[in-house]
Amino acid sequence: MARPCSIALILAVPTPEGIFHASYGRAGLRAIYFPGEDGLAVVQPSGADAPAAVEMWHDLTVAAVQSALGGGGVKALPPLDWSGATGFQRRVWAALLKIPRGEVRSYAQIARQIGSPGAARAVGAACGANPIPLLVPCHRVVAARGGLGGFSAGLAWKVRLLTREGHLIQDQRLDLW
DNA sequence: ACTGGGTAAACAG
DNA sequence: CTGTTTACCCAGT
């Protein structure tokens, strides 16, 4: 499913790991794009062009992304624009935000937590639809039996992030890399 | 280790 | 509405 790429303000997020991009809607941060994702018409307005609110949000986003990449805790997030998401997706993503740095949950645990035991698979689908990976930490959700699950920006990123947060990962698929 | 059925949700038609 | 697809789970071989 394509991520929303309609009318939005897109600003660059420079990091030591490459240039991410952040997309903003009226209500706040709408999506994060990882380095190298194609198909983006990147608009980098001069400072004066961006509304003041977006400038403030973007400052928070940049700080949060850089901190998250360093394995540190994320202190503050800009408001998140989840318009267009289903109720189920919002419940899943809200649950992800409660996972402390350095901990992981299984898809089934998240399902139970939001009151839909047995919806583990649907939780996986909601994670895949998460437009704000890294800050809405879907990389902290793994399969119950030691598997990795997936990651929209690529499993290599998931492994890097988890390793940085102190987890040792083993997954058969990694041998292929 | 492998298999099969169960499961909830989103989506196309 | 039905059929298809999912970043899953668990109890059986």
Side-chain angles (χ1 to χ4, degrees):
Chain A
M1 157 143 145
R3 314 257 282 285
C5 202
S6 54
I7 304 298
L9 191 53
I10 298 181
L11 299 178
V13 182
T15 81
E17 326 253 348
I19 300 179
F20 291 64
H21 288 95
S23 155
Y24 297 92
R26 298 202 80 83
L29 177 63
R30 192 192 290 276
I32 288 281
Y33 301 94
F34 277 60
E37 289 191 44
D38 298 330
L40 283 181
V42 175
V43 179
Q44 171 76 47
S46 62
D49 288 346
V54 175
E55 296 265 332
M56 288 178 35
W57 296 341
H58 193 58
D59 287 344
L60 291 172
T61 299
V62 171
V65 167
Q66 292 177 348
S67 177
L69 285 178
V74 173
K75 295 192 265 301
L77 286 177
L80 306 181
D81 184 348
W82 284 345
S83 59
T86 67
F88 181 82
Q89 288 168 337
R90 293 176 202 224
R91 285 196 291 281
V92 171
W93 301 340
L96 301 190
L97 287 174
K98 294 181 190 160
I99 307 177
R101 177 188 64 87
E103 294 188 24
V104 295
R105 300 284 185 271
S106 74
Y107 294 96
Q109 276 181 305
I110 298 295
R112 284 196 294 271
Q113 185 177 334
I114 64 174
S116 298
R121 212 168 172 163
V123 167
C127 289
N130 170 23
I132 317 176
L134 183 61
L135 297 188
V136 177
C138 49
H139 60 278
R140 295 187 187 134
V141 188
V142 297
R145 306 286 291 278
L148 249 190
F151 197 60
S152 53
L155 279 181
W157 273 107
K158 188 166 187 173
V159 174
R160 285 170 72 183
L161 293 169
L162 286 174
T163 301
R164 222 164 277 179
E165 294 181 1
H167 288 279
L168 193 53
I169 309 299
Q170 66 275 17
D171 187 287
Q172 311 296 34
R173 280 170 294 175
L174 294 182
D175 298 342
L176 306 175
W177 295 52

